[in-house]
Amino acid sequence: MICPLNRNPLNPSFVDEVERSFAQQPVMNLIGASLSLVEPGVVEITLPSRADLAQQDGYVHAGVITTIADSACGYAAYSLMPAGSNVLSVEFKVNMLRPARGVTFIARAEVIKAGRTLTVVRADVFGIAENAERELVATMLATMLCLQT
Amino acid sequence: MICPLNRNPLNPSFVDEVERSFAQQPVMNLIGASLSLVEPGVVEITLPSRADLAQQDGYVHAGVITTIADSACGYAAYSLMPAGSNVLSVEFKVNMLRPARGVTFIARAEVIKAGRTLTVVRADVFGIAENAERELVATMLATMLCLQT
Amino acid sequence: MICPLNRNPLNPSFVDEVERSFAQQPVMNLIGASLSLVEPGVVEITLPSRADLAQQDGYVHAGVITTIADSACGYAAYSLMPAGSNVLSVEFKVNMLRPARGVTFIARAEVIKAGRTLTVVRADVFGIAENAERELVATMLATMLCLQT
Amino acid sequence: MICPLNRNPLNPSFVDEVERSFAQQPVMNLIGASLSLVEPGVVEITLPSRADLAQQDGYVHAGVITTIADSACGYAAYSLMPAGSNVLSVEFKVNMLRPARGVTFIARAEVIKAGRTLTVVRADVFGIAENAERELVATMLATMLCLQT
């Protein structure tokens, strides 16, 4: 990151909170995604490729790539929010850069700007080949909303 | 639409082509989505709500909403492309407007500008309540690429 | 609009407020833009074409088109906000659909969803030819923030 | 950049080409922007703050910030295109992260993915204070089109 970001988590149990919330997203179970990294302002979600996630050419559907990128962005934002918050996706934009091929996909989200109400997050989604080479298949720029519950 | 759009399909068998391609998207089967309308430059996809499509609050995940909106946009663009084309998502932006609740969701995509290489498409996603009331839950603005195969 | 929108202005003097705020945007004077319509949730800004607004091919620069679209979106949102609010652009996405040519440009913004904190607005920018024909040159999808001052 | 990018310029005189094209954008002269860096896949544009570029609160208008970010993205893409190309903005999305204050603004664009037809570029816009501190005020994610002329 070019810009210094205050990544001091306001909620000391943010890792537990992210894991608990992630476990409550049934769609992650449906597509087979799991949480692979939770740090202040940074979250990674891993998705093994599967034939039933594909679009018409056999690549993973852009909507599935978006699903893991959006959740990664949401939890990266959530990791910096105060206890008792909820996070909602306001909007996101995704560029599909290459066909989504790989044996596994990793969506890595990093907070760019954490605000009291709005948090802006960037995510890159990589396809990992059998030989462990990474290819950037998509990038997301997202806005997340903090709701006090 | 405020602007006149030439919606003469270049491919007379565009309906068959869209249906055939849609049937080749395994992810549509996984989430339970079906094609409900195919007209020149306009496509609708219908998705019954299901508990395993939800995020942490019980609403359908933004990524699932995006999946049907993206496919609707892609096929709306594809319906105007010449025979022998393939369609790829270049990018899209989604605004989540309300929690995605409803017994069914309909993504309705309409081409705004059809070009030889790039086609710009807008999609609205509605949640349909039991009493048949419609609520706009998301809107997408997408760019699609025509590949000559 | 496909979806019913409550467009009852919360601020009875919203027209005056929009006009007053617009007059305080020096950049509108620099580029020669003026406010041409203010209704609840709908605002139009008109910009006569000028050689010094062009990019390298002689068309009006995408950033100038964005400038009038963004202000139109901001004021369309502002027209529905309570008295004593300020409006800020959270983010916007613009598709440039055709070269920005015309003797005049009109950015027409319409609120899609007005929330207490966030308002989502769509704008279309038209180029008007000498023979009065309209051509859609760009479309914006924007998120605006309401600040209580 | 996390991902390796082939940044070998296809056009050996790309610096001259970018400078020549920039000089042909009258709007850059109108707002007072200048080209401050041209490398393969990376371009910076510098804009001194000026009262007549402001919106209603005295900050530089989001549209002006977009103008320099869009041109920086376009020329970053152009720097990697073959001789005889022209570059067009397909679309961009901008997040305004902080009020655009500073004595100078720098838009720094970097190509993420250079394709034959489409190039995806990211730009960050910084406000530079009198004490030389940098603040990230906006970030853009853009798609550029290569036209063979």
Side-chain angles (χ1 to χ4, degrees), chain A residues 2-4 91-95 97-98 108 110 112-113 120 122-124 126 134-136 139-143, chain D residues 2-4 91-98 108 110 112-113 120 122-124 126 134-136 139-143:
Chain A
I2 310 171
C3 222
E91 60 83 37
F92 44 74
K93 183 241 208 270
V94 177
N95 267 260
L97 302 171
R98 289 177 186 83
R108 178 182 173 85
E110 294 193 36
I112 300 175
K113 167 69 165 53
V120 179
R122 191 180 281 159
D124 288 326
F126 300 92
R134 286 188 164 213
E135 202 175 46
L136 183 62
T139 191
M140 175 182 274
L141 182 57
T143 310
Chain D
I2 309 171
C3 224
E91 60 83 37
F92 44 75
K93 184 243 208 267
V94 177
N95 267 259
M96 298 304 299
L97 303 171
R98 290 177 186 84
R108 178 183 173 86
E110 295 194 34
I112 300 176
K113 165 71 165 51
V120 179
R122 191 180 281 157
D124 287 325
F126 300 92
R134 287 188 163 212
E135 202 175 45
L136 184 62
T139 190
M140 174 182 277
L141 182 57
T143 309

CSV table of all heavy atoms in Angstrom, one decimal, chain A residues 2-4 91-95 97-98 108 110 112-113 120 122-124 126 134-136 139-143, chain D residues 2-4 91-98 108 110 112-113 120 122-124 126 134-136 139-143:
chain,number,residue,atom,x,y,z
A,2,ILE,N,0.5,2.2,-0.8
A,2,ILE,CA,1.3,3.4,-0.9
A,2,ILE,C,1.0,4.3,0.3
A,2,ILE,O,1.9,5.1,0.7
A,2,ILE,CB,0.9,4.2,-2.2
A,2,ILE,CG1,1.0,3.2,-3.4
A,2,ILE,CG2,1.8,5.4,-2.4
A,2,ILE,CD1,0.4,3.8,-4.7
A,3,CYS,N,-0.1,4.2,0.8
A,3,CYS,CA,-0.6,5.1,1.8
A,3,CYS,C,-0.6,4.5,3.2
A,3,CYS,O,-1.1,3.4,3.4
A,3,CYS,CB,-2.0,5.6,1.5
A,3,CYS,SG,-2.2,7.4,1.7
A,4,PRO,N,-0.1,5.2,4.2
A,4,PRO,CA,-0.2,4.6,5.6
A,4,PRO,C,-1.7,4.4,6.0
A,4,PRO,O,-2.5,5.3,5.7
A,4,PRO,CB,0.5,5.6,6.4
A,4,PRO,CG,0.4,6.9,5.7
A,4,PRO,CD,0.4,6.5,4.2
A,91,GLU,N,-21.6,-1.3,-2.5
A,91,GLU,CA,-21.4,-1.5,-3.9
A,91,GLU,C,-20.0,-2.0,-4.1
A,91,GLU,O,-19.1,-1.9,-3.3
A,91,GLU,CB,-21.6,-0.2,-4.7
A,91,GLU,CG,-20.6,0.9,-4.3
A,91,GLU,CD,-19.3,0.9,-5.0
A,91,GLU,OE1,-19.2,0.5,-6.1
A,91,GLU,OE2,-18.3,1.2,-4.3
A,92,PHE,N,-19.8,-2.6,-5.3
A,92,PHE,CA,-18.5,-3.0,-5.7
A,92,PHE,C,-18.4,-3.0,-7.2
A,92,PHE,O,-19.4,-3.1,-7.9
A,92,PHE,CB,-18.1,-4.4,-5.2
A,92,PHE,CG,-19.2,-5.5,-5.3
A,92,PHE,CD1,-19.5,-6.0,-6.5
A,92,PHE,CD2,-19.9,-5.9,-4.2
A,92,PHE,CE1,-20.5,-7.0,-6.6
A,92,PHE,CE2,-20.9,-6.8,-4.3
A,92,PHE,CZ,-21.2,-7.4,-5.5
A,93,LYS,N,-17.2,-3.0,-7.7
A,93,LYS,CA,-16.9,-3.0,-9.2
A,93,LYS,C,-15.8,-4.1,-9.3
A,93,LYS,O,-14.8,-4.1,-8.6
A,93,LYS,CB,-16.4,-1.7,-9.6
A,93,LYS,CG,-16.2,-1.6,-11.1
A,93,LYS,CD,-14.7,-1.3,-11.4
A,93,LYS,CE,-14.6,-0.5,-12.7
A,93,LYS,NZ,-14.4,-1.5,-13.9
A,94,VAL,N,-16.0,-4.9,-10.3
A,94,VAL,CA,-15.1,-6.0,-10.6
A,94,VAL,C,-14.6,-5.9,-12.0
A,94,VAL,O,-15.4,-5.8,-12.9
A,94,VAL,CB,-15.8,-7.4,-10.4
A,94,VAL,CG1,-14.8,-8.5,-10.7
A,94,VAL,CG2,-16.3,-7.5,-8.9
A,95,ASN,N,-13.3,-6.0,-12.2
A,95,ASN,CA,-12.7,-6.2,-13.6
A,95,ASN,C,-12.3,-7.7,-13.7
A,95,ASN,O,-11.4,-8.1,-12.9
A,95,ASN,CB,-11.5,-5.3,-13.8
A,95,ASN,CG,-11.9,-4.0,-14.5
A,95,ASN,OD1,-11.8,-3.8,-15.7
A,95,ASN,ND2,-12.5,-3.1,-13.8
A,97,LEU,N,-10.0,-10.0,-15.4
A,97,LEU,CA,-8.7,-9.7,-16.1
A,97,LEU,C,-8.3,-10.9,-17.0
A,97,LEU,O,-7.7,-10.7,-18.1
A,97,LEU,CB,-7.6,-9.4,-15.2
A,97,LEU,CG,-7.9,-8.2,-14.2
A,97,LEU,CD1,-6.9,-8.1,-13.2
A,97,LEU,CD2,-8.0,-6.9,-15.0
A,98,ARG,N,-8.6,-12.1,-16.6
A,98,ARG,CA,-8.3,-13.3,-17.4
A,98,ARG,C,-9.3,-14.4,-17.1
A,98,ARG,O,-10.0,-14.3,-16.1
A,98,ARG,CB,-6.9,-13.8,-16.9
A,98,ARG,CG,-5.7,-13.0,-17.3
A,98,ARG,CD,-4.4,-13.6,-16.8
A,98,ARG,NE,-3.3,-12.6,-17.0
A,98,ARG,CZ,-3.0,-11.6,-16.3
A,98,ARG,NH1,-3.7,-11.3,-15.2
A,98,ARG,NH2,-2.0,-10.8,-16.6
A,108,ARG,N,-7.9,-12.0,-2.0
A,108,ARG,CA,-7.2,-11.3,-0.9
A,108,ARG,C,-7.7,-9.8,-0.9
A,108,ARG,O,-7.5,-9.1,-1.9
A,108,ARG,CB,-5.7,-11.3,-1.2
A,108,ARG,CG,-4.9,-10.5,-0.2
A,108,ARG,CD,-3.4,-10.5,-0.4
A,108,ARG,NE,-2.7,-9.6,0.5
A,108,ARG,CZ,-2.3,-10.0,1.7
A,108,ARG,NH1,-2.4,-11.2,2.1
A,108,ARG,NH2,-1.7,-9.1,2.5
A,110,GLU,N,-7.8,-6.0,1.0
A,110,GLU,CA,-7.1,-5.1,1.9
A,110,GLU,C,-7.8,-3.8,1.9
A,110,GLU,O,-8.2,-3.2,0.9
A,110,GLU,CB,-5.7,-4.7,1.3
A,110,GLU,CG,-4.8,-5.9,1.3
A,110,GLU,CD,-3.3,-5.5,1.0
A,110,GLU,OE1,-2.9,-4.4,1.6
A,110,GLU,OE2,-2.6,-6.2,0.3
A,112,ILE,N,-8.4,0.0,2.1
A,112,ILE,CA,-7.6,1.2,1.6
A,112,ILE,C,-7.9,2.4,2.5
A,112,ILE,O,-7.1,3.2,2.8
A,112,ILE,CB,-8.1,1.6,0.2
A,112,ILE,CG1,-7.8,0.5,-0.8
A,112,ILE,CG2,-7.4,2.9,-0.3
A,112,ILE,CD1,-8.4,0.8,-2.2
A,113,LYS,N,-9.2,2.5,3.0
A,113,LYS,CA,-9.6,3.6,3.8
A,113,LYS,C,-10.7,3.1,4.7
A,113,LYS,O,-11.8,2.7,4.3
A,113,LYS,CB,-10.1,4.7,2.9
A,113,LYS,CG,-10.9,5.8,3.6
A,113,LYS,CD,-10.0,6.7,4.5
A,113,LYS,CE,-10.7,8.0,4.9
A,113,LYS,NZ,-12.0,7.8,5.5
A,120,VAL,N,-13.5,1.6,2.4
A,120,VAL,CA,-13.2,1.2,1.0
A,120,VAL,C,-12.1,0.1,1.0
A,120,VAL,O,-11.1,0.2,1.7
A,120,VAL,CB,-12.8,2.5,0.2
A,120,VAL,CG1,-12.4,2.1,-1.3
A,120,VAL,CG2,-13.9,3.5,0.2
A,122,ARG,N,-10.0,-3.0,-1.4
A,122,ARG,CA,-9.6,-3.5,-2.7
A,122,ARG,C,-9.4,-5.0,-2.6
A,122,ARG,O,-8.8,-5.4,-1.5
A,122,ARG,CB,-8.3,-2.8,-3.1
A,122,ARG,CG,-7.9,-3.0,-4.5
A,122,ARG,CD,-6.6,-2.3,-4.7
A,122,ARG,NE,-6.8,-0.8,-4.9
A,122,ARG,CZ,-5.9,0.1,-4.7
A,122,ARG,NH1,-4.7,-0.2,-4.3
A,122,ARG,NH2,-6.2,1.4,-4.9
A,123,ALA,N,-9.8,-5.8,-3.5
A,123,ALA,CA,-9.5,-7.3,-3.5
A,123,ALA,C,-8.9,-7.7,-4.8
A,123,ALA,O,-9.3,-7.2,-5.9
A,123,ALA,CB,-10.7,-8.1,-3.2
A,124,ASP,N,-7.9,-8.5,-4.8
A,124,ASP,CA,-7.4,-9.2,-5.9
A,124,ASP,C,-7.7,-10.7,-5.8
A,124,ASP,O,-7.6,-11.3,-4.7
A,124,ASP,CB,-5.9,-9.0,-6.0
A,124,ASP,CG,-5.5,-7.6,-6.4
A,124,ASP,OD1,-6.2,-7.0,-7.2
A,124,ASP,OD2,-4.4,-7.1,-6.0
A,126,PHE,N,-6.7,-14.4,-7.3
A,126,PHE,CA,-5.7,-15.1,-8.0
A,126,PHE,C,-6.2,-16.5,-8.3
A,126,PHE,O,-6.8,-17.2,-7.4
A,126,PHE,CB,-4.4,-15.2,-7.2
A,126,PHE,CG,-3.9,-13.9,-6.8
A,126,PHE,CD1,-4.2,-13.2,-5.6
A,126,PHE,CD2,-3.0,-13.2,-7.7
A,126,PHE,CE1,-3.7,-12.0,-5.3
A,126,PHE,CE2,-2.5,-11.9,-7.4
A,126,PHE,CZ,-2.9,-11.3,-6.2
A,134,ARG,N,0.8,-18.3,-9.7
A,134,ARG,CA,-0.4,-17.4,-9.4
A,134,ARG,C,-0.7,-16.5,-10.6
A,134,ARG,O,0.3,-16.0,-11.2
A,134,ARG,CB,-0.1,-16.4,-8.3
A,134,ARG,CG,-0.1,-17.0,-6.9
A,134,ARG,CD,0.0,-15.9,-5.9
A,134,ARG,NE,-0.4,-16.5,-4.6
A,134,ARG,CZ,-1.0,-15.8,-3.6
A,134,ARG,NH1,-1.3,-14.5,-3.8
A,134,ARG,NH2,-1.3,-16.4,-2.5
A,135,GLU,N,-1.9,-16.4,-10.9
A,135,GLU,CA,-2.3,-15.5,-12.0
A,135,GLU,C,-3.4,-14.6,-11.5
A,135,GLU,O,-4.4,-15.1,-10.9
A,135,GLU,CB,-2.8,-16.4,-13.2
A,135,GLU,CG,-2.8,-15.7,-14.5
A,135,GLU,CD,-3.2,-16.7,-15.6
A,135,GLU,OE1,-4.2,-17.4,-15.4
A,135,GLU,OE2,-2.5,-16.7,-16.6
A,136,LEU,N,-3.3,-13.3,-11.7
A,136,LEU,CA,-4.4,-12.4,-11.3
A,136,LEU,C,-5.6,-12.5,-12.2
A,136,LEU,O,-5.5,-12.2,-13.4
A,136,LEU,CB,-3.8,-11.0,-11.3
A,136,LEU,CG,-4.8,-9.9,-10.7
A,136,LEU,CD1,-5.1,-10.1,-9.3
A,136,LEU,CD2,-4.1,-8.5,-10.9
A,139,THR,N,-10.0,-8.2,-10.2
A,139,THR,CA,-9.8,-7.2,-9.1
A,139,THR,C,-11.1,-6.5,-8.8
A,139,THR,O,-11.9,-6.2,-9.7
A,139,THR,CB,-8.6,-6.2,-9.5
A,139,THR,OG1,-8.2,-5.5,-8.3
A,139,THR,CG2,-9.0,-5.3,-10.6
A,140,MET,N,-11.3,-6.2,-7.5
A,140,MET,CA,-12.5,-5.6,-7.0
A,140,MET,C,-12.2,-4.3,-6.3
A,140,MET,O,-11.1,-4.2,-5.6
A,140,MET,CB,-13.2,-6.5,-6.1
A,140,MET,CG,-14.5,-5.9,-5.5
A,140,MET,SD,-15.3,-7.0,-4.3
A,140,MET,CE,-16.4,-7.9,-5.4
A,141,LEU,N,-13.0,-3.3,-6.4
A,141,LEU,CA,-12.9,-2.1,-5.6
A,141,LEU,C,-14.3,-1.9,-5.0
A,141,LEU,O,-15.3,-1.8,-5.7
A,141,LEU,CB,-12.6,-0.9,-6.5
A,141,LEU,CG,-12.4,0.5,-5.8
A,141,LEU,CD1,-11.3,0.4,-4.7
A,141,LEU,CD2,-12.0,1.5,-6.8
A,142,ALA,N,-14.4,-1.9,-3.7
A,142,ALA,CA,-15.7,-2.1,-3.0
A,142,ALA,C,-15.9,-1.0,-1.9
A,142,ALA,O,-14.9,-0.6,-1.3
A,142,ALA,CB,-15.8,-3.5,-2.4
A,143,THR,N,-17.1,-0.7,-1.6
A,143,THR,CA,-17.5,0.2,-0.5
A,143,THR,C,-18.3,-0.6,0.5
A,143,THR,O,-19.3,-1.2,0.1
A,143,THR,CB,-18.3,1.4,-1.0
A,143,THR,OG1,-17.6,2.0,-2.1
A,143,THR,CG2,-18.5,2.4,0.1
D,2,ILE,N,1.4,-7.0,-7.1
D,2,ILE,CA,1.5,-8.3,-6.6
D,2,ILE,C,1.9,-9.2,-7.8
D,2,ILE,O,2.5,-10.2,-7.7
D,2,ILE,CB,0.2,-8.8,-6.0
D,2,ILE,CG1,-0.2,-7.8,-4.9
D,2,ILE,CG2,0.4,-10.2,-5.4
D,2,ILE,CD1,-1.6,-8.1,-4.3
D,3,CYS,N,1.4,-8.9,-9.0
D,3,CYS,CA,1.4,-9.8,-10.1
D,3,CYS,C,2.5,-9.2,-11.1
D,3,CYS,O,2.5,-8.1,-11.4
D,3,CYS,CB,0.1,-9.8,-10.8
D,3,CYS,SG,-0.4,-11.4,-11.3
D,4,PRO,N,3.3,-10.1,-11.7
D,4,PRO,CA,4.3,-9.6,-12.6
D,4,PRO,C,3.5,-9.2,-13.9
D,4,PRO,O,2.6,-9.8,-14.3
D,4,PRO,CB,5.1,-10.9,-13.0
D,4,PRO,CG,4.2,-12.0,-12.6
D,4,PRO,CD,3.3,-11.6,-11.5
D,91,GLU,N,-14.5,2.8,-19.6
D,91,GLU,CA,-15.3,3.1,-18.3
D,91,GLU,C,-14.3,3.2,-17.2
D,91,GLU,O,-13.1,2.8,-17.3
D,91,GLU,CB,-16.3,2.0,-18.0
D,91,GLU,CG,-15.7,0.6,-17.8
D,91,GLU,CD,-15.1,0.4,-16.5
D,91,GLU,OE1,-15.7,0.8,-15.5
D,91,GLU,OE2,-14.0,-0.3,-16.4
D,92,PHE,N,-14.7,3.9,-16.1
D,92,PHE,CA,-13.9,4.0,-14.9
D,92,PHE,C,-14.8,4.1,-13.7
D,92,PHE,O,-16.0,4.5,-13.8
D,92,PHE,CB,-12.9,5.1,-14.9
D,92,PHE,CG,-13.5,6.4,-15.5
D,92,PHE,CD1,-14.3,7.2,-14.7
D,92,PHE,CD2,-13.1,6.9,-16.7
D,92,PHE,CE1,-14.8,8.4,-15.1
D,92,PHE,CE2,-13.7,8.1,-17.2
D,92,PHE,CZ,-14.5,8.8,-16.4
D,93,LYS,N,-14.3,3.7,-12.6
D,93,LYS,CA,-15.0,3.8,-11.3
D,93,LYS,C,-14.0,4.6,-10.4
D,93,LYS,O,-12.8,4.2,-10.3
D,93,LYS,CB,-15.3,2.4,-10.8
D,93,LYS,CG,-16.1,2.5,-9.5
D,93,LYS,CD,-15.4,1.8,-8.4
D,93,LYS,CE,-16.3,1.2,-7.4
D,93,LYS,NZ,-16.6,2.2,-6.3
D,94,VAL,N,-14.6,5.5,-9.6
D,94,VAL,CA,-13.7,6.3,-8.7
D,94,VAL,C,-14.3,6.3,-7.3
D,94,VAL,O,-15.6,6.4,-7.2
D,94,VAL,CB,-13.7,7.8,-9.2
D,94,VAL,CG1,-12.9,8.7,-8.2
D,94,VAL,CG2,-13.1,7.9,-10.6
D,95,ASN,N,-13.5,6.0,-6.3
D,95,ASN,CA,-13.9,6.2,-5.0
D,95,ASN,C,-13.3,7.4,-4.4
D,95,ASN,O,-12.0,7.5,-4.5
D,95,ASN,CB,-13.5,5.0,-4.1
D,95,ASN,CG,-14.6,4.0,-3.9
D,95,ASN,OD1,-15.3,3.9,-2.9
D,95,ASN,ND2,-14.8,3.2,-5.0
D,96,MET,N,-14.1,8.4,-3.9
D,96,MET,CA,-13.5,9.6,-3.3
D,96,MET,C,-13.3,9.2,-1.8
D,96,MET,O,-14.3,8.9,-1.1
D,96,MET,CB,-14.5,10.7,-3.4
D,96,MET,CG,-14.8,11.2,-4.8
D,96,MET,SD,-13.4,11.6,-5.8
D,96,MET,CE,-12.7,13.0,-4.9
D,97,LEU,N,-12.1,9.2,-1.4
D,97,LEU,CA,-11.7,8.7,-0.1
D,97,LEU,C,-11.7,9.8,1.0
D,97,LEU,O,-11.9,9.5,2.2
D,97,LEU,CB,-10.4,8.0,-0.1
D,97,LEU,CG,-10.4,6.8,-1.1
D,97,LEU,CD1,-8.9,6.3,-1.3
D,97,LEU,CD2,-11.3,5.7,-0.7
D,98,ARG,N,-11.3,11.0,0.6
D,98,ARG,CA,-11.2,12.1,1.6
D,98,ARG,C,-11.5,13.4,0.8
D,98,ARG,O,-11.3,13.4,-0.5
D,98,ARG,CB,-9.8,12.2,2.1
D,98,ARG,CG,-9.4,11.1,3.1
D,98,ARG,CD,-8.0,11.2,3.6
D,98,ARG,NE,-7.6,10.0,4.4
D,98,ARG,CZ,-7.2,8.9,3.9
D,98,ARG,NH1,-7.1,8.7,2.6
D,98,ARG,NH2,-6.9,7.9,4.7
D,108,ARG,N,-1.4,9.1,-10.0
D,108,ARG,CA,-0.5,8.1,-10.5
D,108,ARG,C,-1.2,6.9,-11.0
D,108,ARG,O,-1.9,6.2,-10.2
D,108,ARG,CB,0.5,7.8,-9.3
D,108,ARG,CG,1.5,6.7,-9.7
D,108,ARG,CD,2.3,6.3,-8.5
D,108,ARG,NE,3.2,5.2,-8.8
D,108,ARG,CZ,4.4,5.2,-9.4
D,108,ARG,NH1,4.9,6.4,-9.7
D,108,ARG,NH2,5.1,4.2,-9.7
D,110,GLU,N,-1.2,3.1,-12.9
D,110,GLU,CA,-0.3,1.9,-13.2
D,110,GLU,C,-1.2,0.9,-13.9
D,110,GLU,O,-2.3,0.5,-13.4
D,110,GLU,CB,0.2,1.3,-11.9
D,110,GLU,CG,1.2,2.1,-11.2
D,110,GLU,CD,1.9,1.3,-10.1
D,110,GLU,OE1,2.2,0.2,-10.3
D,110,GLU,OE2,2.2,1.9,-9.0
D,112,ILE,N,-2.5,-2.6,-14.7
D,112,ILE,CA,-2.6,-3.9,-14.0
D,112,ILE,C,-2.6,-5.0,-15.0
D,112,ILE,O,-2.0,-6.1,-14.8
D,112,ILE,CB,-4.0,-4.0,-13.3
D,112,ILE,CG1,-4.1,-2.9,-12.2
D,112,ILE,CG2,-4.1,-5.4,-12.6
D,112,ILE,CD1,-5.5,-2.9,-11.6
D,113,LYS,N,-3.2,-4.8,-16.2
D,113,LYS,CA,-3.3,-5.9,-17.2
D,113,LYS,C,-3.4,-5.2,-18.6
D,113,LYS,O,-4.3,-4.5,-18.8
D,113,LYS,CB,-4.6,-6.7,-17.0
D,113,LYS,CG,-5.0,-7.6,-18.1
D,113,LYS,CD,-4.0,-8.8,-18.3
D,113,LYS,CE,-4.6,-9.9,-19.2
D,113,LYS,NZ,-5.2,-9.4,-20.5
D,120,VAL,N,-6.4,-2.7,-18.4
D,120,VAL,CA,-7.0,-2.3,-17.1
D,120,VAL,C,-6.0,-1.5,-16.3
D,120,VAL,O,-4.8,-2.0,-16.2
D,120,VAL,CB,-7.6,-3.5,-16.4
D,120,VAL,CG1,-8.1,-3.1,-15.0
D,120,VAL,CG2,-8.6,-4.2,-17.2
D,122,ARG,N,-5.1,1.1,-12.8
D,122,ARG,CA,-5.5,1.6,-11.5
D,122,ARG,C,-4.8,3.0,-11.3
D,122,ARG,O,-3.7,3.1,-11.7
D,122,ARG,CB,-5.0,0.6,-10.4
D,122,ARG,CG,-5.5,0.8,-9.1
D,122,ARG,CD,-5.0,-0.2,-8.1
D,122,ARG,NE,-5.6,-1.5,-8.3
D,122,ARG,CZ,-5.1,-2.7,-8.0
D,122,ARG,NH1,-3.9,-2.8,-7.5
D,122,ARG,NH2,-5.8,-3.8,-8.1
D,123,ALA,N,-5.5,3.9,-10.7
D,123,ALA,CA,-4.9,5.2,-10.4
D,123,ALA,C,-5.2,5.6,-9.0
D,123,ALA,O,-6.3,5.4,-8.5
D,123,ALA,CB,-5.3,6.3,-11.4
D,124,ASP,N,-4.2,6.2,-8.3
D,124,ASP,CA,-4.4,6.8,-7.0
D,124,ASP,C,-4.1,8.3,-7.2
D,124,ASP,O,-3.2,8.7,-7.9
D,124,ASP,CB,-3.4,6.2,-6.0
D,124,ASP,CG,-3.8,4.8,-5.6
D,124,ASP,OD1,-5.0,4.5,-5.5
D,124,ASP,OD2,-2.9,4.0,-5.4
D,126,PHE,N,-3.3,11.7,-5.0
D,126,PHE,CA,-2.9,12.1,-3.7
D,126,PHE,C,-3.0,13.7,-3.7
D,126,PHE,O,-2.7,14.4,-4.6
D,126,PHE,CB,-1.4,11.8,-3.5
D,126,PHE,CG,-1.1,10.3,-3.6
D,126,PHE,CD1,-0.8,9.7,-4.8
D,126,PHE,CD2,-1.2,9.5,-2.5
D,126,PHE,CE1,-0.6,8.3,-4.9
D,126,PHE,CE2,-1.0,8.1,-2.5
D,126,PHE,CZ,-0.7,7.5,-3.7
D,134,ARG,N,1.6,13.5,2.0
D,134,ARG,CA,0.7,13.0,1.0
D,134,ARG,C,-0.5,12.3,1.6
D,134,ARG,O,-0.4,11.6,2.6
D,134,ARG,CB,1.4,11.8,0.2
D,134,ARG,CG,2.4,12.3,-0.8
D,134,ARG,CD,2.8,11.1,-1.6
D,134,ARG,NE,3.5,11.6,-2.8
D,134,ARG,CZ,3.5,11.0,-4.0
D,134,ARG,NH1,2.8,9.9,-4.2
D,134,ARG,NH2,4.1,11.5,-5.0
D,135,GLU,N,-1.7,12.6,1.0
D,135,GLU,CA,-2.9,11.9,1.5
D,135,GLU,C,-3.6,11.4,0.3
D,135,GLU,O,-3.7,12.0,-0.7
D,135,GLU,CB,-3.7,13.0,2.1
D,135,GLU,CG,-4.8,12.6,3.1
D,135,GLU,CD,-5.5,13.7,3.8
D,135,GLU,OE1,-5.9,14.7,3.1
D,135,GLU,OE2,-5.6,13.7,5.0
D,136,LEU,N,-4.0,10.1,0.4
D,136,LEU,CA,-4.8,9.5,-0.7
D,136,LEU,C,-6.2,10.0,-0.7
D,136,LEU,O,-6.9,9.8,0.2
D,136,LEU,CB,-4.8,8.0,-0.5
D,136,LEU,CG,-5.4,7.1,-1.6
D,136,LEU,CD1,-4.7,7.3,-3.0
D,136,LEU,CD2,-5.4,5.7,-1.2
D,139,THR,N,-9.3,6.9,-5.6
D,139,THR,CA,-8.7,5.8,-6.3
D,139,THR,C,-9.6,5.5,-7.5
D,139,THR,O,-10.8,5.5,-7.3
D,139,THR,CB,-8.4,4.6,-5.4
D,139,THR,OG1,-7.6,3.7,-6.1
D,139,THR,CG2,-9.6,3.9,-4.9
D,140,MET,N,-9.0,5.2,-8.6
D,140,MET,CA,-9.8,4.8,-9.8
D,140,MET,C,-9.4,3.4,-10.3
D,140,MET,O,-8.2,3.0,-10.2
D,140,MET,CB,-9.4,5.8,-10.9
D,140,MET,CG,-10.1,5.5,-12.3
D,140,MET,SD,-9.6,6.7,-13.6
D,140,MET,CE,-10.8,8.0,-13.3
D,141,LEU,N,-10.4,2.7,-10.9
D,141,LEU,CA,-10.1,1.5,-11.6
D,141,LEU,C,-10.8,1.6,-12.9
D,141,LEU,O,-12.0,1.9,-13.0
D,141,LEU,CB,-10.8,0.3,-10.8
D,141,LEU,CG,-10.6,-1.1,-11.3
D,141,LEU,CD1,-9.1,-1.5,-11.5
D,141,LEU,CD2,-11.3,-2.1,-10.4
D,142,ALA,N,-10.0,1.5,-14.0
D,142,ALA,CA,-10.4,2.0,-15.3
D,142,ALA,C,-10.1,0.9,-16.4
D,142,ALA,O,-9.2,0.1,-16.3
D,142,ALA,CB,-9.7,3.3,-15.7
D,143,THR,N,-10.9,0.9,-17.4
D,143,THR,CA,-10.8,0.0,-18.6
D,143,THR,C,-10.5,0.9,-19.8
D,143,THR,O,-11.3,1.8,-20.1
D,143,THR,CB,-12.0,-0.8,-18.9
D,143,THR,OG1,-12.4,-1.5,-17.6
D,143,THR,CG2,-11.7,-1.9,-19.9
